[in-house]
Amino acid sequence: MEVANRYITIKTHIDGEPKESDFELRTLALDISVDPGSNDIIVKNLYVSIDPYQLNRMKSFSSSQKAIGFAAAITPGETIDAYGVAKVVASGNPEFEKDDLVVGLITWGEYSVLKEGSMFRKLDPLGFPLSYQVGILGFSGLTAYGGFFEVCKPKKGEKVFVSAASGSVGNLVGQYAKLFGCYVVGCAGTNEKVALLKEKLGFDDAFNYKEESDLKPTLKKYFPNGIDIYFDNVGAEMLEAAVSNMNTFGRVAVCGVISEYTDAGKRAAPDMLDVIYKRLKIQGFLAADQMIVYSDFLSTTTDHLRTGKLHAIEDISHGLESVPSAFIGLFRGHNTGKKIVKIADE
């Protein structure tokens, strides 16, 4: 049986802020039966993750494109792979049957063909909504958990600053840090997001960075005794301000630099004398590095969700056609929590 598989792709490489005209909806005929002897699995996509790092894959060049398979360059016109949840419609793999749920690398499309050796697994929802597998129980959650506990190595009572704290990773870092026993301050781009951090997610304090003209004294005000841990999601002047306010032997986990993704001229220039004399550790990391703590992450996070100590903040758009606007919104501060597109009903 053949279906018309619609998918989102880029028309050309994107070297600045993405816009609607950079994307197009294409259709390709897809046979949803599997040839004898094939191990292919054909799935109908249900939920797909929308992540800022994809922009670096869409550029004509980014040093990140050679670093790891997840970050490989995207060719205009081709399908775009992304983490998501799907349902099997046909399988040549004896371990998967029709209607099984899978989670892994699918596409920004209605259907995906999963080849043997690609990243996917059978999904047990564990009693949670399927969308959780794309966010809080997926790579966003693992990034937050591993980045905070493995990279930052927190101690109870330490003072933690989180930028982009209402985003998919930042909101979870703040919640994990509070549950661990740290003092946590976050920043976000609207007063509504600031209220969410303080009133629902339990941050000790939060501020709207757009209302601050000079970030260094702002952070001094919120951390009069200095910052022990900075979880960086934005880079640029926010990183500079945090470094100037760090305590001796402070740790900086560099998870993302979203402010630099759309502006090639914007770069962080922290005071390296501070780095040296305060003996700071600044470490970049990827979600893939944190697979070593996956079982701990999953058991801890599901326990906290079941007891209501941890909140899943999701921002879900509906329909394949909404993928471009959902993606563009990441760079304009439109999302709160994990940005997901629901492509089809479960």
Side-chain angles (χ1 to χ4, degrees):
M1 177 183 170
E2 198 172 81
V3 297
N5 182 29
R6 300 186 306 152
Y7 64 97
I8 299 292
T9 187
I10 53 173
K11 295 178 182 177
T12 185
H13 291 297
I14 304 171
D15 289 313
E17 186 171 329
K19 52 189 183 298
E20 290 273 0
S21 59
D22 293 324
F23 300 88
E24 64 179 334
L25 181 66
R26 289 192 175 187
T27 303
L28 196 64
L30 176 68
D31 185 353
I32 57 170
S33 59
V34 178
D35 294 333
S38 170
N39 275 325
D40 289 354
I41 300 171
I42 300 170
V43 297
K44 184 177 179 65
N45 301 332
L46 302 179
Y47 292 92
V48 69
S49 179
I50 307 296
D51 300 291
Y53 82 91
Q54 296 275 29
L55 184 60
N56 295 318
R57 302 181 64 204
M58 297 173 184
K59 294 177 180 179
S60 55
F61 172 77
S62 170
S63 58
S64 62
Q65 294 171 357
K66 302 291 186 184
I68 190 171
F70 283 112
I74 294 168
T75 302
E78 292 190 357
T79 56
I80 297 171
D81 58 315
Y83 198 73
V85 172
K87 179 178 281 190
V88 176
V89 295
S91 175
N93 186 322
E95 296 180 14
F96 293 82
E97 298 178 357
K98 188 176 185 296
D99 293 331
D100 279 347
L101 292 170
V102 299
V103 62
L105 281 184
I106 55 174
T107 61
W108 282 2
E110 292 178 316
Y111 293 87
S112 302
V113 179
L114 307 182
K115 300 285 188 181
E116 189 174 20
S118 58
M119 195 197 80
F120 63 91
R121 60 177 172 83
K122 194 175 291 188
L123 169 61
D124 176 1
L126 302 171
F128 296 107
L130 290 184
S131 58
Y132 281 24
Q133 304 295 329
V134 182
I136 193 168
L137 298 179
F139 278 123
S140 295
L142 180 62
T143 299
Y145 186 91
F148 182 65
F149 289 107
E150 291 299 302
V151 177
C152 297
K153 302 289 187 185
K155 302 178 185 71
K156 292 185 189 302
E158 285 194 312
K159 296 170 285 295
V160 178
F161 175 48
V162 185
S163 57
S166 66
S168 63
V169 174
N171 89 84
L172 294 173
V173 172
Q175 292 186 76
Y176 286 132
K178 281 302 300 174
L179 289 167
F180 184 71
C182 293
Y183 176 83
V184 183
V185 176
C187 70
T190 70
N191 292 333
E192 291 77 15
K193 291 177 180 180
V194 168
L196 172 76
L197 297 177
K198 294 195 290 186
E199 295 168 13
K200 182 171 183 176
L201 302 186
F203 282 58
D204 293 288
D205 216 332
F207 64 91
N208 183 346
Y209 70 89
K210 292 181 180 177
E211 295 181 348
E212 305 294 337
S213 58
D214 190 340
L215 292 168
K216 289 182 181 179
T218 296
L219 288 180
K220 181 67 175 175
K221 178 177 70 176
Y222 285 96
F223 293 96
N225 297 313
I227 300 167
D228 298 304
I229 291 171
Y230 172 42
F231 198 98
D232 187 19
N233 291 301
V234 300
E237 57 268 27
M238 192 70 77
L239 174 58
E240 296 171 12
V243 165
S244 75
N245 282 279
M246 297 293 290
N247 288 328
T248 304
F249 298 112
R251 288 84 74 205
V252 179
V254 185
C255 177
V257 287
I258 193 169
S259 70
E260 301 180 21
Y261 292 171
T262 57
D263 184 350
K266 182 175 277 193
R267 291 288 183 270
D271 187 332
M272 295 308 291
L273 284 177
D274 275 339
V275 175
I276 295 167
Y277 283 92
K278 293 179 181 179
R279 285 87 95 196
L280 304 181
K281 183 177 87 168
I282 301 177
Q283 182 178 337
F285 72 99
L286 299 174
D289 304 334
Q290 308 308 319
M291 290 304 295
I292 54 171
V293 296
Y294 181 78
S295 60
D296 289 341
F297 150 70
L298 192 62
S299 62
T300 300
T301 303
T302 53
D303 286 348
H304 286 329
L305 284 170
R306 290 192 176 104
T307 57
K309 294 178 181 177
L310 196 63
H311 299 278
I313 308 300
E314 298 180 316
D315 191 333
I316 301 178
S317 298
H318 296 267
L320 180 65
E321 296 87 350
S322 70
V323 167
S325 62
F327 181 68
I328 292 163
L330 295 176
F331 303 94
R332 299 178 181 176
H334 293 173
N335 65 299
T336 301
K338 177 63 188 176
K339 189 65 195 177
I340 299 167
V341 170
K342 182 177 182 180
I343 294 175
D345 289 333
E346 298 169 22

